[in-house]
Amino acid sequence: MATTASQNPAHGLFENFLQAQLCKDVLSSFQDLCMCLGLKPGGRLSLYHKLKAELNYWNAKSLWAKLDKRASHPVYEQGKACASTQCLVVGAGPCGLRTAVELALLGARVVLVEKRTKFSRHNVLHLWPFTIHDLRGLGAKKFYGRFCTGTLDHISIRQLQLLLLKVALLLGVEIHWGVTFTGLLPPSQKGIGWRAQLQPNPSDQLAQYEFDVLISAAGSKFIPEGFSVRELRGKLAIGITANFVNGRTVAETQVPEISGVARIYNQSFFQNLFKATGIDLENIVYYKDDTHYFVMTAKKQSLLRLGVLRQDFADTDQLLSSDNIVPEALHRFARDAADFATHGKLGNPEFACDARGRPDVAAFDFTSMTRAESASRVQEKHGARVLLELVGDCLVEPFWPLGTGVARGFLAAFDAAWTVKMWAGGAQPLAVLAERESLYQLLSQTSPENMHRNISQYSLDPASRYPNLNIRSVSPQQVEDLYDIGGKDLERKKNDKTDSAKPPAPGPAGTQEELLLWCQKQTAGYPGVRVMDFSSSWVDGRALCALVHRLRPTLLDFSSLQGAGALETTALAVKLAEQELGISPVIPPQVLVAGTDPLGLIAYLTHFYSAFGKAPPSPDPVSSLSKGTSGAVLFLSKLQRTLQRNRSQNGEDGGGKKPRLETESKMPSPTEPTLLKPGAPLKPLPADLEAEAGDLCSLCGERLYIVERICADGRFFHRSCFHCHSCEAPLWPEGYRQHPGDGHFYCLLHFPQSDNIDVCDGAPKHQEPSSKDEEKEHEAVSPRAPAAPEEVEGPPKLPSRKLIRLSSPERRSLSSLNFNPDAEMEGPPKPPRSCSALAREALEGSFSGWGVPVQRIQQTLLSFPPELLGPVASNVEEEEDEGISSSEEEEVEEEDLVLTSDVEKSLLNFAKNSGTMEKYPVWRQTLLRRAKEAEMKRFCKAQTVQRRLDEIEVTLRKLEEEGRKLESALREKESSPEEEKKLWVEKLLYLVQKKNNLVAEEADLMITVQELDLEEQQWLLDQELRSYMDREETLKTAVEKQTEENMLKKLLDVVKQRDDLIHFREQYRQFELTEGTGDQG
């Protein structure tokens, strides 16, 4: 066959085309191929059929088989679905090329213009399973033999563009390089179609090209006129990318990739990175493709301190301008971070070169991301219509740590092509727009988990991809503003602006009258309580206690308040509301008793109303969760109190009882209401200080407005002041400590100890440890592989680097140990047998589906990590069917991927002793791939949480600014008309409600952070415990046995806390379902 190919010059030219690795080589080799065969590039699908007829040797036939299989799908109607449609695609990025391929398969004439003349972006893209299957169906392995051969599924942008470019050329797409699209050229009269304004000097044929579909895939910086864009802004986020030359040496292939490690759940890695190098990061990712690709998020202060940035500027563009960046310092920064993350195993590689021949290292800003308000528009003039669609970054700019860019870009390309098919089929413009916008609503929510599982059935038809598809979620009437007929759309936009200028309607907090009426209903029937206003009616504290008692009768004995002082009664109500209802104070009890701040009281009661206004009172503490601020805030507060108490005990419980999640601790149980007992009475504030109580920040001493306030331990702070002095993360009540030495506040993780490094002021103090110490510490904090346990007396060093990490709760080994989850007050159960025996017992069910008899399993089990095998058993058949690489493809160099030594040994022995050695390579590869996939999912989840927290922080700052203006107007303009002041109060209540909702969402996200942190703790404890379990029971010393038992207790505590988190989530979900059913009723 090779001889036949060599005798036919067309076959050799085709092979050159397949293997070309530069854009110019692809184009020249394809041009030579067409000339050899007497064909002209372009020409739609007819060119493809002619090429297939001429090139019929084995390698070409295997490619034609794949493309024929794709083209034979009924949705393309044998290439006739859009035979009369003329399309212009702007941009030869991955999404533009992918859209062009689909349009060509539909039979449309496709012209693509690209302003660049070569592909030079080395940055690497993460691929979802469906994108891998999709690209394989287009012959990806024919064009790029190393496609998805490692443990992580990714591809460089350059290779993806080359792959899709070759497919587009084969399918007859006309591609014009060095041509810039500058705008639409509407028809001047009837009988003329829409054209494009192109620069610099397009050919006459291209300049006169008339089209009825325009697909813009030119990136987020170019969006066609008429589309509106919404900006999603978070806190300052500076990304750094670095590409190093991949020499593909043996040493380089053995360096494991990093699917993603984030500060949000692995703080120790980043602390030690800072200690060793002075570099302060939020996350880091390492992919190995054409280059060694690193991407990380750096903190601004670190870049300034290390000289990467010359000056600090408030404006991001000025901060990251080329004039303000020192290239040598940036290169050093990227190299040091990469060296630390990979243990220096890459050696000293050279930087790859970018399009201009410079080192491919860049700093970029992703603080703000854009999202188009609509995905499509239709313009009509002189009877000629043109459909405009957006795909890729100009539709939704992706958040890079999530790895969603190319996957959602391909989905948008499919949706756009489906819309073109509808358009070509003669559907009405408004119907086409409505369906496209219905699909667009699904795009940002898509993930591999919520799409159809059978990826082999994916097609242009949205029903094949989206499980819960409602193509009529947007009606034609809702998209009338997207249909521009001449100048009619301008009039609609003016009307929209007029409507948007109207003041917002009152939020769920309602008006003052509604709030007062609700308070009156809740406190009705209580002796001595009569609510008439927001001042004098609340000064004795009984009204507030009545409100708390109504919402949770078991919290206090109202009869015990008889004869108690006003301040003590009010303080009790405020304390119970904060610790049992999740209602944070807005003003101190002294001011409530004084009755001098009705505005603060209104804001405080608004918290109650927004949290419980629509929910019936319930005596059940668990069912008292509300769809407002209280549920998540309350649980988070109790969880953090528990963690703080456990930290203060250094993990030891002197009474022999395990620490538990605080559910009713320090507060009354449901059957034991609080009695107001006599004690040291609280002192009222002097008259001259009443006005200032709660009005000044306890940290900065500046004026504190209502919307800005956060309360902790009875003191009030600005949200902007109440941050960790080390990591600058926002602090939560009960989740911080104040250092007695410097007086600063710290989160529990970064609270400085006597032997800890000071990570907040300047460069690290210890940057030159001895070589041995540095090597040991380096191994202890890397994000991957745990070192083998050292044969020394006492516990082995706690590892935090691992090659294999599976984080799904269902697959944790020791979470299945027998213990009573309801026995909260009892100590952890004693193991009936050794820990090794317990582990082996838990493993016996882990091999179902491996095709091995149970007797052999019991004989061959050593100490194999069970959490690794759970996902493997259910996926072995899939891996066997697909194999590590397709047998029809060329042989490629396989990376020397490694497992940890104990895992490798256990798996190998298991395969040998069970007589299934032929399955060992598939099992090994499956373990690696599933572990990496789990790591990637966890990293993406952490980054999603971090991004949303940043967005909430920015939104809260805007609310605080509005609130300051309103409160200043209310307090300073006493002589204003009552109606005006009433309107201001209602606006302030609206802002307070918005803040409450954001705080509730923030608390819910912080619970997710706790979940990730507990997950990390469980994995580390599991690894440390396994190092003991691997030893023979008879060889363990008494100290080691005691350490092993203590470690098991800690592990059970973490499992219990994770169980409490799951229980809270389920209770909250049930509450929302119940409330939703009630609302519908």
Side-chain angles (χ1 to χ4, degrees):
M1 294 182 181
T3 304
T4 304
S6 62
Q7 292 175 352
N8 189 331
H11 293 179
L13 292 173
F14 186 67
E15 288 297 321
N16 293 338
F17 169 74
L18 293 180
Q19 303 304 323
Q21 291 297 299
L22 295 175
C23 183
K24 62 178 182 179
D25 294 340
V26 172
L27 297 174
S28 62
S29 60
F30 188 73
Q31 186 73 29
D32 293 342
L33 175 64
C34 290
M35 289 180 61
C36 179
L37 297 175
L39 302 175
K40 183 180 179 180
R44 307 194 186 190
L45 283 178
S46 60
L47 174 67
Y48 168 71
H49 294 301
K50 293 175 183 178
L51 289 170
K52 187 170 64 170
E54 295 288 342
L55 303 169
N56 54 7
Y57 71 105
W58 68 273
N59 200 24
K61 282 184 177 180
S62 62
L63 177 60
W64 306 143
K66 289 181 175 294
L67 295 179
D68 285 345
K69 182 179 179 181
R70 174 62 64 91
S72 64
H73 195 282
V75 74
Y76 301 114
E77 300 178 13
Q78 297 181 348
K80 299 178 182 178
C82 299
S84 59
T85 305
Q86 315 291 318
C87 302
L88 177 67
V89 178
V90 180
C95 296
L97 287 167
R98 189 65 190 87
T99 308
V101 167
E102 288 303 313
L103 295 176
L105 288 171
L106 287 168
R109 180 187 177 189
V110 184
V111 175
L112 185 147
V113 295
E114 168 59 50
K115 65 180 180 180
R116 299 183 182 92
T117 57
K118 58 182 176 180
F119 298 149
S120 58
R121 289 185 290 174
H122 294 111
N123 293 355
V124 180
L125 303 171
H126 173 64
L127 299 177
W128 289 5
F130 94 86
T131 54
I132 299 172
H133 186 273
D134 176 68
L135 292 170
R136 280 178 174 161
L138 294 176
K141 294 285 286 185
K142 286 293 180 184
F143 304 117
Y144 183 51
R146 292 189 175 89
F147 179 72
C148 289
T149 55
T151 55
L152 287 175
D153 297 324
H154 52 67
I155 188 172
S156 70
I157 297 177
R158 190 182 71 86
Q159 283 292 350
L160 182 55
Q161 286 177 289
L162 288 172
L163 186 160
L164 292 173
L165 172 63
K166 295 173 184 178
V167 177
L169 289 171
L170 292 175
L171 295 178
V173 176
E174 303 173 31
I175 301 180
H176 298 269
W177 301 95
V179 178
T180 303
F181 175 85
T182 57
L184 279 172
L185 188 62
S188 58
Q189 60 186 19
K190 286 188 177 182
I192 299 179
W194 290 79
R195 300 175 184 172
Q197 296 178 354
L198 304 171
Q199 291 181 354
N201 297 307
S203 63
D204 292 341
Q205 181 184 3
L206 184 59
Q208 298 301 317
Y209 177 58
E210 297 181 358
F211 50 86
D212 36 32
V213 173
L214 171 67
I215 306 292
S216 177
S220 59
K221 294 184 178 180
F222 178 79
I223 298 177
E225 184 179 358
F227 286 92
S228 55
V229 175
R230 180 162 55 97
E231 183 184 40
L232 305 176
R233 177 166 290 276
K235 294 195 296 185
L236 177 65
I238 301 174
I240 294 177
T241 59
N243 285 280
F244 297 93
V245 174
N246 186 355
R248 303 192 185 280
T249 64
V250 175
E252 286 175 291
T253 60
Q254 292 178 346
V255 180
E257 296 176 293
I258 302 174
S259 57
V261 57
R263 179 188 291 270
I264 202 170
Y265 61 81
N266 194 348
Q267 294 92 343
S268 59
F269 168 76
F270 294 97
Q271 286 179 332
N272 285 279
L273 169 65
F274 179 85
K275 180 178 179 180
T277 65
I279 294 174
D280 203 2
L281 300 179
E282 290 288 346
N283 51 51
I284 188 170
V285 173
Y286 163 49
Y287 289 155
K288 194 180 336 179
D289 208 273
D290 279 353
T291 62
H292 296 288
Y293 170 67
F294 292 85
V295 58
M296 61 203 82
T297 303
K299 292 196 172 184
K300 181 179 70 172
Q301 294 302 322
S302 176
L303 295 173
L304 288 168
R305 184 174 58 249
L306 295 177
V308 177
L309 300 177
R310 302 181 193 274
Q311 299 182 49
D312 188 6
F313 295 102
D315 180 69
T316 308
D317 292 336
Q318 193 174 6
L319 180 70
L320 298 179
S321 66
S322 57
D323 294 336
N324 197 45
I325 294 179
V326 180
E328 295 78 11
L330 178 61
H331 299 169
R332 185 167 54 252
F333 186 99
R335 188 181 292 278
D336 289 347
D339 187 68
F340 183 89
T342 59
H343 291 279
K345 294 180 180 179
L346 287 179
N348 189 29
E350 296 295 326
F351 285 106
C353 293
D354 60 15
R356 299 180 181 180
R358 299 175 302 187
D360 195 353
V361 187
F364 63 96
D365 168 44
F366 61 99
T367 303
S368 173
M369 297 182 298
T370 58
R371 174 187 173 88
E373 295 284 2
S374 61
S376 59
R377 293 182 63 84
V378 172
Q379 294 191 26
E380 181 178 343
K381 191 170 184 180
H382 296 306
R385 294 173 179 170
V386 62
L387 172 65
L388 312 176
E389 295 196 77
L390 306 180
V391 297
D393 289 3
C394 62
L395 180 64
V396 178
E397 194 173 8
F399 181 49
W400 73 260
L402 303 185
T404 58
V406 69
R408 289 178 180 167
F410 277 23
L411 290 174
F414 297 158
D415 294 339
W418 174 259
T419 306
V420 173
K421 182 185 178 185
M422 291 180 57
W423 180 260
Q428 292 298 314
L430 290 179
V432 172
L433 292 171
E435 182 163 336
R436 180 67 188 94
E437 297 310 310
S438 298
L439 296 174
Y440 182 37
Q441 290 185 342
L442 297 173
L443 186 62
S444 294
Q445 284 75 44
T446 53
S447 68
E449 290 73 30
N450 61 18
M451 297 179 65
H452 277 309
R453 298 297 183 186
N454 192 355
I455 58 178
S456 64
Q457 299 299 317
Y458 283 15
S459 70
L460 288 190
D461 187 350
S464 68
R465 293 175 274 123
Y466 306 121
N468 303 313
L469 176 64
N470 179 10
I471 60 175
R472 294 181 175 83
S473 60
V474 177
S475 66
Q477 292 74 21
Q478 293 175 288
V479 295
E480 289 181 353
D481 61 322
L482 302 180
Y483 186 14
D484 182 7
I485 305 177
K488 293 183 179 180
D489 186 56
L490 298 176
E491 184 177 352
R492 293 196 194 99
K493 290 185 177 180
K494 289 180 180 179
N495 294 335
D496 292 342
K497 290 181 180 179
T498 304
D499 294 339
S500 63
K502 297 178 181 179
T511 63
Q512 292 183 70
E513 291 78 5
E514 292 175 357
L515 179 62
L516 183 60
L517 180 61
W518 181 77
C519 292
Q520 290 172 342
K521 289 182 178 180
Q522 298 300 315
T523 57
Y526 285 89
V529 177
R530 188 180 181 189
V531 175
M532 302 299 296
D533 51 33
F534 292 112
S535 55
S536 59
S537 300
W538 303 85
V539 295
D540 60 358
R542 296 178 65 84
L544 194 57
C545 282
L547 181 59
V548 172
H549 185 268
R550 176 76 72 183
L551 298 174
R552 187 87 67 79
T554 58
L555 284 183
L556 61 88
D557 182 1
F558 192 80
S559 62
S560 68
L561 302 177
Q562 191 69 30
L567 191 54
E568 287 77 9
T569 303
T570 303
L572 173 65
V574 170
K575 179 181 179 182
L576 290 174
E578 180 179 14
Q579 297 191 359
E580 288 299 314
L581 300 181
I583 307 296
S584 299
V586 176
I587 52 178
Q590 292 90 339
V591 176
L592 281 171
V593 172
T596 56
D597 190 4
L599 192 60
L601 177 60
I602 291 173
Y604 183 45
L605 294 175
T606 299
H607 286 242
F608 287 87
Y609 183 58
S610 62
F612 299 96
K614 294 183 179 180
S618 170
D620 184 6
V622 178
S623 345
S624 64
L625 300 176
S626 65
K627 196 179 177 181
T629 58
S630 66
V633 174
L634 172 62
F635 184 83
L636 179 63
S637 177
K638 291 185 176 182
L639 175 63
Q640 291 181 321
R641 285 200 298 271
T642 301
L643 296 177
Q644 185 175 14
R645 185 175 65 251
N646 291 350
R647 285 177 182 271
S648 66
Q649 295 172 350
N650 293 322
E652 302 292 336
D653 195 310
K657 298 180 180 180
K658 64 179 181 179
R660 62 185 180 88
L661 180 65
E662 181 179 303
T663 53
E664 308 295 332
S665 63
K666 299 185 181 180
M667 298 303 297
S669 68
T671 57
E672 298 179 359
T674 298
L675 299 177
L676 188 59
K677 299 178 181 179
L682 297 175
K683 297 181 179 180
L685 294 174
D688 57 341
L689 295 181
E690 285 181 0
E692 295 185 1
D695 285 347
L696 299 179
C697 176
S698 297
L699 285 175
C700 69
E702 299 294 328
R703 176 67 183 273
L704 192 60
Y705 293 90
I706 290 174
V707 184
E708 299 175 310
R709 296 179 186 178
I710 185 171
C711 180
D713 293 337
R715 294 186 292 172
F716 293 88
F717 310 91
H718 291 106
R719 279 183 59 90
S720 56
C721 293
F722 198 53
H723 279 65
C724 174
H725 185 65
S726 172
C727 66
E728 300 181 354
L731 298 176
W732 276 82
E734 308 296 342
Y736 73 95
R737 292 178 66 184
Q738 186 175 15
H739 195 275
D742 58 22
H744 294 302
F745 289 90
Y746 296 87
C747 62
L748 299 182
L749 176 69
H750 295 118
F751 184 76
Q753 305 295 332
S754 58
D755 56 343
N756 279 4
I757 180 176
D758 184 359
V759 296
C760 52
D761 298 320
K765 296 178 181 178
H766 310 289
Q767 294 198 22
E768 297 182 359
S770 63
S771 58
K772 291 184 179 180
D773 292 341
E774 183 176 3
E775 182 179 353
K776 289 182 179 181
E777 182 179 273
H778 203 59
E779 292 291 334
V781 301
S782 181
R784 293 282 162 178
E790 300 177 10
E791 295 299 329
V792 295
E793 190 168 331
K797 198 167 185 178
L798 184 66
S800 62
R801 177 173 178 83
K802 42 194 174 290
L803 283 173
I804 301 300
R805 176 190 295 168
L806 286 174
S807 56
S808 301
E810 301 84 9
R811 295 161 186 165
R812 293 293 182 182
S813 58
L814 293 177
S815 64
S816 60
L817 294 179
N818 293 324
F819 66 96
N820 183 5
D822 297 325
E824 296 184 355
M825 300 303 297
E826 299 178 0
K830 301 292 183 181
R833 296 176 297 282
S834 69
C835 291
S836 298
L838 282 174
R840 290 191 178 94
E841 182 181 288
L843 282 174
E844 290 182 4
S846 299
F847 286 84
S848 60
W850 285 56
V852 181
V854 176
Q855 294 82 358
R856 288 191 180 181
I857 294 176
Q858 295 173 343
Q859 294 172 3
T860 56
L861 275 177
L862 298 174
S863 298
F864 199 80
E867 80 275 13
L868 298 178
L869 301 180
V872 175
S874 61
N875 291 285
V876 165
E877 293 182 3
E878 175 189 338
E879 294 292 334
E880 288 177 339
D881 291 340
E882 185 176 313
I884 297 177
S885 61
S886 176
S887 60
E888 68 181 50
E889 313 297 353
E890 62 183 83
E891 184 177 352
V892 298
E893 175 188 354
E894 183 178 352
E895 296 181 28
D896 187 10
L897 301 166
V898 294
L899 294 164
T900 52
S901 58
D902 58 333
V903 175
E904 187 83 51
K905 179 180 177 181
S906 298
L907 179 61
L908 186 60
N909 279 309
F910 175 79
K912 288 180 178 178
N913 298 335
S914 62
T916 55
M917 194 64 190
E918 71 280 359
K919 296 184 178 181
Y920 170 74
V922 176
W923 288 352
R924 182 178 185 273
Q925 184 75 2
T926 302
L927 285 175
L928 289 163
R929 294 183 69 86
R930 300 307 173 194
K932 293 292 185 181
E933 288 172 5
E935 277 190 351
M936 174 61 70
K937 291 179 181 178
R938 187 170 181 224
F939 177 72
C940 291
K941 181 178 181 180
Q943 294 310 300
T944 302
V945 170
Q946 186 64 62
R947 177 67 188 187
R948 183 56 189 154
L949 287 172
D950 291 345
E951 292 174 352
I952 289 175
E953 186 72 17
V954 172
T955 306
L956 284 172
R957 289 177 185 173
K958 294 179 180 178
L959 288 179
E960 290 172 359
E961 185 178 353
E962 295 180 39
R964 285 194 296 268
K965 295 178 182 178
L966 279 174
E967 188 176 345
S968 296
L970 281 167
R971 296 187 184 277
E972 296 172 4
K973 300 180 180 180
E974 296 292 338
S975 59
S976 301
E978 288 299 320
E979 287 297 324
E980 186 177 13
K981 288 195 293 185
K982 181 179 177 181
L983 180 61
W984 287 344
V985 171
E986 291 179 2
K987 286 183 178 179
L988 184 61
L989 294 182
Y990 175 71
L991 294 179
V992 170
Q993 175 61 23
K994 288 183 68 176
K995 176 192 173 184
N996 292 345
N997 293 338
L998 289 171
V999 169
E1001 183 183 359
E1002 186 179 37
D1004 191 60
L1005 293 171
M1006 293 299 293
I1007 293 173
T1008 304
V1009 172
Q1010 296 287 0
E1011 289 176 334
L1012 292 169
D1013 183 60
L1014 290 172
E1015 200 173 321
E1016 179 79 5
Q1017 290 183 44
Q1018 182 173 339
W1019 192 92
L1020 292 174
L1021 287 169
D1022 176 52
Q1023 292 297 308
E1024 190 175 6
L1025 185 60
R1026 185 174 290 122
S1027 67
Y1028 285 98
M1029 293 164 56
D1030 286 342
R1031 305 180 189 180
E1032 289 292 337
E1033 195 71 22
T1034 56
L1035 300 179
K1036 297 178 184 177
T1037 66
V1039 174
E1040 290 175 337
K1041 290 181 179 180
Q1042 183 62 41
T1043 304
E1044 182 178 357
E1045 184 177 345
N1046 293 338
M1047 212 172 297
L1048 180 60
K1049 291 180 181 180
K1050 293 179 182 179
L1051 184 60
L1052 294 177
D1053 291 337
V1054 173
V1055 172
K1056 174 62 174 61
Q1057 292 182 35
R1058 293 186 67 185
D1059 181 67
D1060 287 328
L1061 283 168
I1062 295 172
H1063 179 67
F1064 164 76
R1065 296 285 195 192
E1066 178 60 20
Q1067 290 291 336
Y1068 196 59
R1069 186 184 70 84
Q1070 292 292 340
F1071 173 82
E1072 287 185 322
L1073 289 176
T1074 304
E1075 187 182 68
T1077 304
D1079 291 344
Q1080 291 176 4

